[in-house]
């Protein structure tokens, strides 16, 4: 205080250099009789600590003369907070990631410029809207349900979406969604930070497609051998059926052998399509053991018989939310890699078990507090040294001879596991074989048990309704007519899409259901179905095919088709779905009365 009132003290000595001229100017204005309510400047304390002061001034009458009353308020903390908020605002506004803030119901309250740039929506178009305006139909309802369960439980959710822009273009986003809490810990909003990863996904798709084709080439000779065996079984037993009369037990046994051989052929075709086709990333609830069982059948038929294959699968594992095609590909890659490491003789073991993330050690710190299904693939091959083991997941790294491998197999495995937010590890030593461990996360709330995949029973009832069968293959068409007429249905037939539309126009009031192949001459099954549905919106339509492109399948499903029937046809599948569709329609009509 004494220092402040000293004759040698000059108040301007406390003012930051850059603000001295401002203070001098305002003092002169006061002396001239002008009033200035308040202004800010930086000043220093005695110990040279910099402050931001709000100087409130007023001219007063003091002891018969004019005086200046000044009050300095320390607003350093306030200005610091404001500056931090400005920095945060600039960071959000200029972020290369899309940022969305929603209320607890998911309604958008804020979206940054990057979001509008990526999606094509203006800010005023999305405020108050739900992010579901971006949905493309390529992400399952189950995945959205898991998302909401996670964030409403106060946890962070990470994953990917294939979304749709305002102009209809599809794009991939990698997203992190987490709750925002108030001082009391209550969730008030949700924050989504999303990155456009479309280019990366396209490159990955090209990488995986190239690797798929390499896998098919690797298995080609085994596939050809197995198909010849299947055809030999069918032709052999068929020739026995047309010979001299035989008792019913032999007749049934021969027919059953033909059906089993055909089933083997159909399963092999499905596997080839699974591995070779370009498919969308589609999460679905899957029983891992069933996938491994399917894969084991294919490997048993295509790998050398000198390599023994054994399964050690833990029962009643919880279902996983995964892309079936990608998991197939990853496991096939591991098995092919194991086969190559064993040359022509050895043992391959595939095992599964449920593990807790806490037991996976410090190697995978992010696994703590979660459950995983572990899939291990072990071989008795040559094994790897440390230098090789540290590089095996690098793209294009291979220890095989030139022309015998691209080095993409294990890179694809790593990419697939990472895509599903899992982990992969390997144990190996030279001369002692290798074991690859794949850990896939169990969705929260998932219960143990396997999916019921049983076929429709053999006693599927028939009926008297009229069905239009559209099939260009003569023998296949004859089989469908015989099957349906045997169960009492009246059947009309068409051999192409154009004829189907004409027959339907002539018998629109009679036809109750259409069963059509997708690949038809003149007019394909989907286009023909749309024309018939335009004439009769209540028409029941089933489309049949051995494979439908995923994008087209989505379009067809959204177009009001009752369902798909997979080729090769299974009698009980056809009869069951047809009867179920008729019964469902009858029930709806009764309830509407």
């Amino acid at each position: 205080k004494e220092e402040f009132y000293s004759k040698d003290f000059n108040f301007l000595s406390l003012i930051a250099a850059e603000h001295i001229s401002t203070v001098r100017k305002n003092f002169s204005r006061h002396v001239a009789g002008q009033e200035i309510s308040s202004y800010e400047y930086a000043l220093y304390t005695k110990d040279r600590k910099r402050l931001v002061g709000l100087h409130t001034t007023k001219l007063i009458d003091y002891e018969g003369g004019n005086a200046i009353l000044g009050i300095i308020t320390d607003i350093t903390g306030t200005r610091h907070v404001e500056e931090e908020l400005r920095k945060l605002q600039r960071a959000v506004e200029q972020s290369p990631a899309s940022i969305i803030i929603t209320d607890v119901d998911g309604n958008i309250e804020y979206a940054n410029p990057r979001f509008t740039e990526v999606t094509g929506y203006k800010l005023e178009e999305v405020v108050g809207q739900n992010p579901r305006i971006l949905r493309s139909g390529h992400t399952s309802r189950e995945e959205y349900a898991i998302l909401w369960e996670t964030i409403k439980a106060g946890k962070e959710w990470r994953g990917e979406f294939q979304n749709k822009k305002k102009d209809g273009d599809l794009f991939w986003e990698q997203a992190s969604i987490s709750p925002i809490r108030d001082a009391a810990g209550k969730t008030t909003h949700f924050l989504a930070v999303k990155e456009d990863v479309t280019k990366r996904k396209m490159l990955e798709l090209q990488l995986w497609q190239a690797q798929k084709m390499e896998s098919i080439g690797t298995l080609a000779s085994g596939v050809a051998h197995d198909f010849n065996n299947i055809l030999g079984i069918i032709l052999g037993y068929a020739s026995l059926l047309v010979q001299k009369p035989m008792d019913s037990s032999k007749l049934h046994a021969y027919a059953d052998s033909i059906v089993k051989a055909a089933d083997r052929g159909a399963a092999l075709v499905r596997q080839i399509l699974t591995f070779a086709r370009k498919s969308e990333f589609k999460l679905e609830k899957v029983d891992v053991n069933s996938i491994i069982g399917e894969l084991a059948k294919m490997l048993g038929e295509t790998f050398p018989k000198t390599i023994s294959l054994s399964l050690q699968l833990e029962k009643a594992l919880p279902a996983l939310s995964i892309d079936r095609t990608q998991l197939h590909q990853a496991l096939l890659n591991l098995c092919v890699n194991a086969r190559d490491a064993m040359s022509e003789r050895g043992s391959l073991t595939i095992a599964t078990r449920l593990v807790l993330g806490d037991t996976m050690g410090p190697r995978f710190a992010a696994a703590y507090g979660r459950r995983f299904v572990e899939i291990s693939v072990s071989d008795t091959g040559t094994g790897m040294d440390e230098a090789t083991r540290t590089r095996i997941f690098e793209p294009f790294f291979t220890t095989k001879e030139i022309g015998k491998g691209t080095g993409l197999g294990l890179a694809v495995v790593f990419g697939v596991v990472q895509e599903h937010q899992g982990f992969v590890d390997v144990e190996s030593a030279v001369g002692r074989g290798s074991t690859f461990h794949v850990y896939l996360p169990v969705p929260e709330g998932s219960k143990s048990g396997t999916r019921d995949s049983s076929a429709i029973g053999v006693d599927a009832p028939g009926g008297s309704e009229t069905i239009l069968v559209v099939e260009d293959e003569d023998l296949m068409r004859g089989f469908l007519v015989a099957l349906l007429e045997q169960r009492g249905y009246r059947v009309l037939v068409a051999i192409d899409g154009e004829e189907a539309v004409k027959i339907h126009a002539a018998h629109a009031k009679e036809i109750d259901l259409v069963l059509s192949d997708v690949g038809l001459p003149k007019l394909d099954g989907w286009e023909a179905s749309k024309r018939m549905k335009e004439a009769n919106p209540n028409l029941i339509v089933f489309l049949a095919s051995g494979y439908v492109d995923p994008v087209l399948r989505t379009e067809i499903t959204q177009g009001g088709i009752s369902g798909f029937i997979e080729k090769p046809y299974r009698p009980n599948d056809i009869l069951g779905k047809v009867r179920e569709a008729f019964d469902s329609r009858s029930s709806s009509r009764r309830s509407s009365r």
Side-chain angles (χ1 to χ4, degrees):
K1 181 177 179 182
E2 290 75 14
E3 293 174 283
F4 191 81
Y5 286 112
S6 170
K7 293 181 179 181
D8 297 327
F9 177 77
N10 186 340
F11 178 69
L12 292 177
S13 65
L14 300 179
I15 311 302
E18 67 267 25
H19 292 154
I20 289 178
S21 62
T22 300
V23 174
R24 286 183 184 276
K25 183 189 298 182
N26 288 335
F27 181 78
S28 298
R29 292 169 66 186
H30 276 306
V31 171
Q34 299 179 28
E35 282 210 14
I36 303 172
S37 59
S38 64
Y39 58 97
E40 291 180 22
Y41 53 83
L43 69 161
Y44 295 94
T45 62
K46 181 181 179 180
D47 58 3
R48 304 308 290 174
K49 181 179 179 182
R50 186 181 174 98
L51 304 175
V52 178
L54 178 64
H55 198 160
T56 305
T57 60
K58 187 176 182 181
L59 288 173
I60 62 173
D61 182 4
Y62 180 69
E63 295 183 354
N66 289 333
I68 301 173
L69 174 65
I71 301 173
I72 302 175
T73 304
D74 183 3
I75 60 170
T76 307
T78 301
R79 291 297 175 260
H80 178 71
V81 170
E82 290 176 352
E83 180 57 28
E84 291 300 311
L85 288 174
R86 279 194 292 271
K87 287 180 184 178
L88 179 60
Q89 182 181 15
R90 287 194 295 269
V92 171
E93 293 289 327
Q94 298 171 22
S95 172
S98 295
I99 297 177
I100 304 174
I101 298 176
T102 75
D103 61 20
V104 290
D105 295 320
N107 300 312
I108 297 173
E109 292 188 0
Y110 171 82
N112 73 340
R114 178 59 177 166
F115 172 85
T116 61
E117 179 185 336
V118 170
T119 65
Y121 286 99
K122 296 179 181 178
L123 180 60
E124 57 267 24
E125 292 178 304
V126 296
V127 170
Q129 297 286 338
N130 191 286
R132 70 172 63 96
I133 62 174
L134 300 176
R135 288 186 185 180
S136 63
H138 293 276
T139 301
S140 69
R141 292 180 180 273
E142 291 178 342
E143 184 65 14
Y144 285 117
I146 293 171
L147 185 162
W148 276 102
E149 286 178 14
T150 302
I151 61 177
K152 284 191 173 181
K155 301 177 182 178
E156 179 189 24
W157 179 91
R158 290 177 177 269
E160 291 185 347
F161 301 111
Q162 189 177 24
N163 280 336
K164 184 170 61 176
K165 300 181 181 182
K166 182 180 179 181
D167 62 8
D169 286 348
L170 298 180
F171 71 106
W172 280 96
E173 284 189 310
Q174 188 174 59
S176 170
I177 304 175
S178 54
I180 299 175
R181 300 180 180 88
D182 60 16
K186 179 182 178 182
T187 298
T188 60
H189 296 81
F190 293 114
L191 170 69
V193 180
K194 305 192 290 183
E195 181 184 359
D196 185 350
V197 293
T198 306
K199 290 183 179 179
R200 191 202 79 197
K201 296 291 290 187
M202 296 304 294
L203 289 173
E204 287 179 354
L205 181 61
Q206 293 173 18
L207 172 70
W208 289 337
Q209 189 65 20
Q211 213 290 314
K212 286 178 183 181
M213 298 317 296
E214 180 189 347
S215 300
I216 292 298
T218 301
L219 298 175
S221 61
V223 170
H225 172 78
D226 195 56
F227 257 120
N228 283 331
N229 284 342
I230 291 169
L231 293 174
I233 293 170
I234 293 174
L235 291 172
Y237 279 105
S239 65
L240 292 176
L241 288 176
V242 298
Q243 291 180 8
K244 60 183 180 180
M246 62 187 73
D247 60 63
S248 60
S249 61
K250 284 188 176 181
L251 183 67
H252 284 294
Y254 294 165
D256 187 55
S257 297
I258 291 174
V259 170
K260 287 181 179 178
D263 282 343
R264 279 180 58 190
L268 201 55
V269 169
R270 282 197 299 273
Q271 292 293 336
I272 294 171
L273 284 173
T274 296
F275 297 137
R277 73 192 181 203
K278 294 180 180 178
S279 58
E280 59 192 11
F281 182 75
K282 182 179 181 182
L283 294 175
E284 55 183 317
K285 285 292 181 67
V286 171
D287 171 26
V288 168
N289 286 345
S290 69
I291 289 183
I292 294 174
E294 294 170 7
L295 179 63
K297 291 179 182 178
M298 183 179 186
L299 298 179
E301 294 162 353
T302 57
F303 274 19
K305 303 303 179 185
T306 52
I307 293 179
S308 63
L309 173 63
S310 62
L311 303 181
Q312 299 174 6
L313 309 180
E314 184 174 305
K315 294 183 179 179
L317 289 173
L320 301 184
S321 181
I322 56 178
D323 183 290
R324 176 184 290 268
T325 301
Q326 289 197 4
L327 183 59
H328 263 291
Q329 182 64 42
L331 295 180
L332 173 65
N333 288 2
L334 290 175
C335 292
V336 169
N337 204 62
R339 183 207 62 181
D340 293 344
M342 294 184 288
S343 185
E344 292 297 322
R345 189 173 299 278
S347 175
L348 174 63
T349 303
I350 306 176
T352 60
R353 63 176 182 143
L354 183 65
V355 298
L356 296 178
D358 299 10
T359 66
M360 290 162 61
R363 183 166 174 76
F364 304 116
Y368 283 98
R370 303 162 67 192
R371 295 189 302 159
F372 293 82
V373 168
E374 177 191 355
I375 307 170
S376 59
V377 178
S378 305
D379 65 67
T380 57
T382 55
M384 296 174 281
D385 57 25
E386 179 65 21
T388 301
R389 193 164 66 248
T390 58
R391 297 191 60 194
I392 55 175
F393 296 115
E394 295 178 14
F396 307 109
F397 174 77
T398 180
T399 58
K400 298 177 183 178
E401 299 175 22
I402 295 176
K404 292 191 175 181
T406 61
L408 298 177
L410 293 180
V412 167
V413 172
F414 185 83
V416 168
V417 175
Q418 194 175 49
E419 187 95 8
H420 290 85
Q421 301 173 48
F423 307 96
V424 61
D425 201 5
V426 61
E427 298 177 65
S428 185
V430 175
R432 299 177 61 182
S434 303
T435 298
F436 284 83
H437 302 277
V438 171
Y439 301 96
L440 297 172
V442 176
E444 292 191 21
S446 181
K447 298 180 180 179
S448 298
T450 57
R451 203 173 42 169
D452 181 13
S453 58
S454 58
I456 294 170
V458 295
D459 296 325
S464 58
E465 292 89 349
T466 298
I467 298 175
L468 172 60
V469 171
V470 191
E471 173 63 64
D472 61 317
E473 180 66 44
D474 291 343
L475 294 178
M476 191 69 73
R477 189 171 61 251
F479 156 71
L480 291 171
V481 171
L483 174 69
L484 295 169
E485 287 184 340
Q486 188 183 61
R487 291 303 176 102
Y489 294 110
R490 178 192 174 206
V491 182
L492 303 176
V493 297
I495 62 173
D496 59 57
E498 287 187 358
E499 185 179 13
V501 174
K502 291 178 182 178
I503 292 175
H504 179 264
H507 301 273
K509 294 183 179 180
E510 306 167 41
I511 295 173
D512 301 292
L513 181 146
V514 173
L515 172 57
S516 174
D517 188 15
V518 173
L520 294 172
K522 298 183 180 179
L523 190 66
D524 67 54
W526 171 223
E527 289 299 326
S529 299
K530 285 194 289 186
R531 296 187 187 184
M532 289 184 279
K533 289 281 287 184
E534 287 175 2
N536 179 9
N538 297 320
L539 181 66
I540 301 172
V541 177
F542 282 99
L543 293 178
S545 178
Y547 169 69
V548 178
D549 178 82
V551 176
L552 178 60
R553 178 182 285 269
T554 300
E555 179 187 346
I556 291 174
T557 302
Q558 295 175 346
I561 297 302
S562 301
F564 286 92
I565 295 179
E566 187 177 352
K567 283 188 171 184
Y569 291 122
R570 295 175 184 272
N572 296 327
D573 188 26
I574 297 172
L575 294 172
K577 287 185 176 179
V578 166
R579 191 65 258 162
E580 183 181 355
F582 283 142
D583 292 346
S584 177
R585 184 178 65 179
S586 298
S587 176
S588 298
R589 287 175 176 174
R590 285 195 298 271
S591 62
S592 63
R593 291 174 184 171

